[in-house]
Amino acid sequence: MITVTRPTFVVTEPADDAEHETEVVPGEEVVVVEEQGEWARVLVPSHATSKDERGYPGWLRADAVGEGTERIIVTAVGVEALLAKARTFLGVPYVWGGTTDAGIDCSGLVLRAAEAIGVRVPRDARDQAVALEKVGLDEVRAGDLYFFANPDGRVTHVAIAAAPPEPDGARPMIHADGVKGLVVEEPMPADRAAARVSAARL
């Protein structure tokens, strides 16, 4: 467990003049999900919010965070571990609601891949799309997630970016494909690209 060592505001951006979101006090638990110089992006589990079911998200000064083990920072090594775990499921049958190598669905694949690097995500794709940090579709890097929706805008599918977009526009991804009936790694098919609505970062 990591706790805060002094009263400090959790803010929207890693900047001293950023807007205050909430305030934490000494002894209050936080989970560090990213470190950026003098700043740490955290979740505050005791501050419930619709912004993230895991806890209130935001940034605080890293020197306000004590030592501990609850750091789930997705570093380059973490990305490789995430992708390596996802690839262990290649060829596994698509099974709605599945989360094992006996059968797995698209959000179950994300759940298990994220779990391998200590990141806890919601179970369903539409909830993952809401809970995770959004990134621009042109800012996607390996390990990020693509979300796809049906015509009414409801998110129905998620895939893991296997690499950043390539110069020719191809977007390599790993996903449990209900149409093909198994987990595959492939360039994003045209029909998926047409249904792509957003991207997010663990």
Side-chain angles (χ1 to χ4, degrees):
M1 182 177 70
I2 291 178
T3 57
V4 175
T5 57
R6 59 179 169 81
T8 188
F9 282 101
V10 176
V11 296
T12 54
E13 301 290 340
D16 288 320
D17 58 355
E19 181 181 352
H20 293 176
E21 291 277 64
T22 189
E23 187 175 18
V24 288
V25 298
E28 198 151 19
E29 181 183 0
V30 295
V31 178
V32 177
V33 295
E34 182 180 351
E35 290 179 329
Q36 196 174 104
E38 299 177 341
W39 293 87
R41 187 163 67 88
V42 301
L43 300 168
V44 187
S46 60
H47 293 212
T49 175
S50 61
K51 293 183 176 182
D52 193 315
E53 67 177 15
R54 300 171 297 173
Y56 214 102
W59 293 84
L60 48 70
R61 282 279 183 180
D63 61 8
V65 179
E67 294 300 316
T69 59
E70 294 300 313
R71 295 175 184 266
I72 54 174
I73 301 160
V74 184
T75 62
V77 173
V79 169
E80 287 306 311
L82 174 82
L83 294 177
K85 180 64 176 181
R87 288 181 175 122
T88 67
F89 289 95
L90 291 174
V92 167
Y94 178 93
V95 173
W96 176 265
T99 66
T100 72
D101 57 10
I104 198 163
D105 65 14
C106 64
S107 55
L109 178 65
V110 170
L111 180 81
R112 294 305 183 205
E115 182 180 71
I117 58 170
V119 177
R120 194 177 293 175
V121 297
R123 172 62 181 89
D124 296 327
R126 61 181 176 274
D127 293 330
Q128 292 169 357
V130 170
L132 298 173
E133 175 191 0
K134 289 181 172 53
V135 295
L137 289 169
D138 293 328
E139 299 169 353
V140 168
R141 62 192 188 201
D144 289 346
L145 306 180
Y146 290 114
F147 293 98
F148 307 85
N150 61 18
D152 69 5
R154 181 181 172 85
V155 170
T156 57
H157 189 65
V158 60
I160 302 169
E166 296 177 353
D168 63 1
R171 292 177 180 265
M173 65 184 202
I174 304 167
H175 65 134
D177 190 326
V179 176
K180 293 183 174 71
L182 73 166
V183 178
V184 295
E185 181 170 354
E186 63 180 354
M188 187 181 294
D191 59 333
R192 292 290 187 191
R196 186 185 64 223
V197 291
S198 64
R201 183 159 296 152
L202 295 172

